[in-house]
Amino acid sequence: MSRKFDQLSLGEFIEILLHGDRWDYYQEIFQVEPEYLRNLLDEVRKTRNHLAHFKGEISPDQRENLEF
């Protein structure tokens, strides 16, 4: 079953961004290793889920990751 682009989850967007040939293009823009960006965006995903499901306040580290 295929879905429209606007129906993808944040995790799926991360996978698309970091996928092989695409990453070759974006690496020049981000200038970080793909695993660093994957970890950062995964923390953003977790923070987003924490906020979206009303699980309380976020930590200063979480806030800093979002701002970065």
Side-chain angles (χ1 to χ4, degrees), residues 35-47:
E35 282 309 305
Y36 174 82
L37 187 58
R38 181 183 308 281
N39 291 336
L40 177 66
L41 292 175
D42 192 52
E43 289 303 316
V44 168
R45 181 190 62 77
K46 290 175 187 175
T47 300

Side-chain angles (χ1 to χ4, degrees), residues 5 8-20 22-23 26 34-46:
F5 191 74
L8 299 176
S9 69
L10 182 52
E12 291 166 323
F13 281 120
I14 293 168
E15 291 304 315
I16 290 171
L17 175 67
L18 296 170
H19 187 267
R22 289 181 189 91
W23 179 247
Y26 292 119
E35 282 309 305
Y36 174 82
L37 187 58
R38 181 183 308 281
N39 291 336
L40 177 66
L41 292 175
D42 192 52
E43 289 303 316
V44 168
R45 181 190 62 77
K46 290 175 187 175

Side-chain angles (χ1 to χ4, degrees), residues 15-63:
E15 291 304 315
I16 290 171
L17 175 67
L18 296 170
H19 187 267
D21 293 340
R22 289 181 189 91
W23 179 247
D24 290 342
Y25 173 78
Y26 292 119
Q27 184 172 15
E28 192 173 312
I29 296 167
F30 289 104
Q31 297 184 358
V32 296
E33 293 299 318
E35 282 309 305
Y36 174 82
L37 187 58
R38 181 183 308 281
N39 291 336
L40 177 66
L41 292 175
D42 192 52
E43 289 303 316
V44 168
R45 181 190 62 77
K46 290 175 187 175
T47 300
R48 178 255 171 231
N49 289 345
H50 184 87
L51 290 169
H53 297 286
F54 304 104
K55 295 186 178 180
E57 296 294 318
I58 61 174
S59 72
D61 286 341
Q62 289 171 310
R63 188 173 306 280

